Amino acid sequence: MTNVEAKMLLVHPALVPQALAAATKAGIQKSRIYQMDDKECPVKEGIQDWRALIGSESEGASWTWPKFSPEKSKTTIATINYSSGTTGPPKGVMISHACLIANATQSVFLRSYNKPLPLKDERWVGFLPLYHAYGQLYNCLVSCRLNTPVYVMKSFVFTDFCAAIQDYKITTIHLAPPVLVMLAKRPETKNYDLSSVEDVLCGAAPLSRDLQNECRKRFGWNILQGWGMTEVTCGGISMAGGDADETGSVGKLIPNSECKLLDEKGNEVKPGEPGELYLKGPQVCLGYWRNEAATKETLLPGGWLKTGDVAVCNEEGKFWIVDRKKELIKVNALQVAPAELEAVLLENEHVADAAVVGITL
């Protein structure tokens, strides 16, 4: 909050003490903190309900939203999401209004590929954090564009998640690999009817091909992968909604984007060879909030974003993410990807989850 210089804080009633402590450190006045819940909250430790901010009916009727020109929408910040970037401590990623519009439009196109709009009888469960690019794009923007209901969970509890799928007949799940590991490994899974699910989009971290195919066969789901990062608003590469893949590919470049894979000398690699992914398009961020050095290191001349991810692309334009460049482990001059080792460990039925890191000797 100090870095972004927040002027107001909305907090769930259960977290008021933590919010007060954080606000004190950040210099936010108590009068600028409001409780936010689906029910009106009584005053707690001097903190009012957010409904105290609501104006009169006449004030609401006279309100008009500011209108941006196309150019202004490209330069006006809409959100600042925090990311480690290609490496290092968290940095505020400046996302413009145009970035959000572009990435939502790109995602809608892919989601409805071979499934003409409007999508009928779609129901989503929203457990992804809404402060995260993935949760923001799909639960707040794409769902509205598709007019799709989202059942938002207050917090992620695995059994509650399974119950929500069963009770609300959820058709599409947006998740990250650890949740797919839970679905495959946790014994509680068999206690719930998950048959309403048709599609699963998995992103935010590498997913092994074996786990993807195991869950596809077990549950009968169409499991699609995608690649993205906060610096590209959310998504940059994805499997189209009507496609299926058993190779572990994260898909193809999304519309209106360009990319290239470069080796350590800055030369473009051949199809099938690994290289660091560089991308540009209307969804690329404006830079890092009050961090010009990190911005110059990541946003290069010509509009290229240096992602820090190592990928492989075949002749058909399908991508596979090897791993983060900074996380590759060097063994006898060979590059070992932590995600590959994790995938091997997870093949053992007695391993609930795995995380691989390098140790410098």
Side-chain angles (χ1 to χ4, degrees):
M1 287 191 293
T2 303
N3 177 260
V4 79
E5 294 187 346
K7 299 294 188 294
M8 180 182 292
L9 181 60
L10 300 175
V11 58
H12 188 273
L15 299 174
V16 167
Q18 294 91 324
L20 284 170
T24 299
K25 290 183 178 180
I28 298 176
Q29 296 179 5
K30 197 173 185 178
S31 61
R32 304 293 290 175
I33 307 173
Y34 294 87
Q35 296 182 71
M36 191 170 198
D37 198 6
D38 49 2
K39 298 178 182 178
E40 189 164 357
C41 306
V43 176
K44 185 176 183 179
E45 298 190 40
I47 305 302
Q48 298 184 77
D49 182 84
W50 69 274
R51 292 165 182 81
L53 293 167
I54 297 176
S56 66
E57 187 174 340
S58 61
E59 288 173 324
S62 64
W63 171 261
T64 56
W65 288 97
K67 293 183 178 180
F68 292 161
S69 66
E71 200 55 43
K72 191 173 182 180
S73 73
K74 295 177 183 179
T75 58
T76 303
I77 299 171
T79 65
I80 300 178
N81 293 329
Y82 278 76
S83 163
S84 63
T86 53
T87 185
K91 294 175 279 291
V93 181
M94 299 184 292
I95 302 297
S96 72
H97 289 263
C99 285
L100 290 171
I101 294 168
N103 209 217
T105 303
Q106 292 163 327
S107 301
V108 166
F109 174 85
L110 290 169
R111 179 69 189 88
S112 59
Y113 186 74
N114 288 341
K115 294 185 176 184
L117 296 174
L119 301 177
K120 294 183 179 179
D121 301 321
E122 283 265 313
R123 290 174 299 281
W124 299 355
V125 59
F127 68 90
L128 297 168
L130 298 181
Y131 58 77
H132 190 280
Y134 194 1
Q136 280 178 12
L137 188 80
Y138 280 89
N139 293 335
C140 298
L141 295 178
V142 174
S143 63
C144 292
R145 175 63 182 84
L146 295 175
N147 199 28
T148 298
V150 182
Y151 296 85
V152 179
M153 300 179 66
K154 286 187 177 181
S155 61
F156 180 80
V157 177
F158 181 68
T159 51
D160 292 347
F161 168 66
C162 292
I165 295 174
Q166 174 181 272
D167 296 346
Y168 300 114
K169 306 299 180 188
I170 299 301
T171 62
T172 302
I173 311 173
H174 305 96
L175 48 69
V179 178
L180 207 56
V181 171
M182 291 181 193
L183 287 162
K185 300 274 188 178
R186 294 273 289 263
E188 303 99 307
T189 305
K190 68 179 183 295
N191 298 331
Y192 299 90
D193 179 4
L194 309 181
S195 61
S196 61
V197 176
E198 298 174 5
D199 297 315
V200 174
L201 177 60
C202 188
L207 171 67
S208 79
R209 175 184 61 191
D210 293 336
L211 178 60
Q212 178 181 359
N213 291 331
E214 176 191 340
C215 290
R216 175 184 283 113
K217 292 175 183 177
R218 177 177 173 181
F219 300 110
W221 299 339
N222 185 29
I223 302 177
L224 308 172
Q225 291 203 53
W227 169 89
M229 58 192 302
T230 310
E231 287 78 0
V232 296
T233 304
C234 178
I237 299 172
S238 184
M239 272 290 172
D243 288 348
D245 180 78
E246 297 183 357
T247 68
S249 170
V250 293
K252 297 182 178 181
L253 191 65
I254 64 176
N256 293 343
S257 302
E258 297 178 58
C259 74
K260 56 187 177 182
L261 301 180
L262 304 182
D263 61 21
E264 293 186 358
K265 295 182 180 178
N267 300 315
E268 291 199 44
V269 302
K270 298 177 181 178
E273 295 181 354
E276 184 175 1
L277 175 64
Y278 289 70
L279 183 144
K280 70 176 179 178
Q283 73 275 32
V284 172
C285 69
L286 299 176
Y288 295 113
W289 175 257
R290 296 188 170 179
N291 195 333
E292 196 163 335
T295 298
K296 288 183 178 179
E297 183 181 340
T298 305
L299 291 178
L300 307 180
W304 290 101
L305 172 73
K306 176 183 170 72
T307 70
D309 281 328
V310 179
V312 171
C313 182
N314 68 6
E315 296 278 3
E316 299 175 355
K318 279 189 174 181
F319 288 82
W320 289 260
I321 300 298
V322 177
D323 219 303
R324 296 288 293 167
K325 185 175 181 180
K326 297 295 183 181
E327 292 173 1
L328 289 174
I329 303 168
K330 291 289 186 75
V331 181
N332 295 329
L334 299 175
Q335 293 185 337
V336 179
E340 293 181 7
L341 296 178
E342 291 165 359
V344 172
L345 291 171
L346 286 171
E347 291 176 10
N348 188 315
E349 62 178 323
H350 301 296
V351 176
D353 205 347
V356 174
V357 296
I359 297 176
T360 303
L361 299 177

